Amino acid sequence: MVLDGLDLDLPDGSVTALMGPNGSGKTTIGRLVLGLEHPDAGAVTGLAGRRVAATFQEDRLCEQLTAERNVRLVLDRARAADAVAALRAAGLDDDALAKPVRDLSGGQRRRVAIVRALVAPADVVVLDEPFKGLDTAARERLLALVRERCAGRTLLLVTHDAAEAAALNATVVTLP
């Protein structure tokens, strides 16, 4: 078993980065936290009643919707304006906001997926390799947005990049 004997504590408001080689179980842990998978043995505890949001390794966007509509899927009407503000903070311009996401570049699509997780009314945010495929400027901009939008919330970052973990002042958990 890849995760045999694992104990992971994610205190409220903490930032934790899971690091390790491919196949070490980083994504599986994220999926366990999200409730998308269930352990063969043991338990995931402490998440009852907590709302979760995520960015997966794939963008998982609604292709026919615009960036704004994709983000608004996780917002109530009172916070709808937050979608555009957050997308602009992520570096999307008016032209990108007007197109269906299927017509956006890979980097633009990635930004939409990250923003959707960040604006969701969640207590726990899981970001699985969120910055892959982004250039340095976009990565820096998104790291700042993650710091801002996740302040006070529990953040679990799955990454291979120690610089990303350091930029978020994360407690690093290294899996063998």
Side-chain angles (χ1 to χ4, degrees):
M1 294 180 78
V2 172
L3 301 175
D4 191 29
L6 175 73
D7 235 358
L8 178 64
D9 185 30
L10 301 173
D12 288 345
S14 67
V15 179
T16 304
L18 291 179
M19 298 186 69
N22 289 339
S24 62
K26 298 180 303 296
T27 293
T28 299
I29 292 170
R31 292 180 59 79
L32 288 165
V33 168
L34 293 166
L36 299 174
E37 291 189 26
H38 302 286
D40 295 330
V44 175
T45 61
L47 294 173
R50 296 179 81 190
R51 300 165 300 170
V52 295
T55 294
F56 300 93
Q57 290 182 26
E58 317 81 28
D59 295 324
R60 298 189 184 187
L61 300 170
C62 297
E63 297 290 319
Q64 73 281 10
L65 299 180
T66 64
E68 178 184 359
R69 295 289 298 159
N70 267 275
V71 173
R72 287 180 58 192
L73 289 172
V74 300
L75 296 172
D76 61 26
R77 287 187 186 265
R79 292 189 53 223
D82 198 24
V84 172
L87 288 163
R88 285 203 170 110
L92 292 169
D93 60 19
D94 288 338
D95 183 50
L97 292 176
K99 295 178 183 177
V101 295
R102 70 174 161 258
D103 296 335
L104 298 179
S105 71
Q108 290 171 321
R109 294 168 54 87
R110 195 72 193 139
R111 292 174 199 200
V112 174
I114 292 168
V115 166
R116 187 172 60 188
L118 295 179
V119 301
D123 306 303
V124 178
V125 179
V126 177
L127 302 178
D128 191 353
E129 299 287 352
F131 310 111
K132 72 175 183 176
L134 295 177
D135 62 39
T136 302
R139 183 182 356 251
E140 292 303 319
R141 180 178 223 149
L142 270 290
L143 281 164
L145 193 60
V146 169
R147 281 191 299 273
E148 174 191 325
R149 294 287 181 144
C150 288
R153 298 197 282 176
T154 302
L155 173 62
L156 179 63
L157 173 69
V158 174
T159 185
H160 287 96
D161 190 331
E164 292 172 2
L168 295 172
N169 296 317
T171 299
V172 175
V173 175
T174 303
L175 301 176

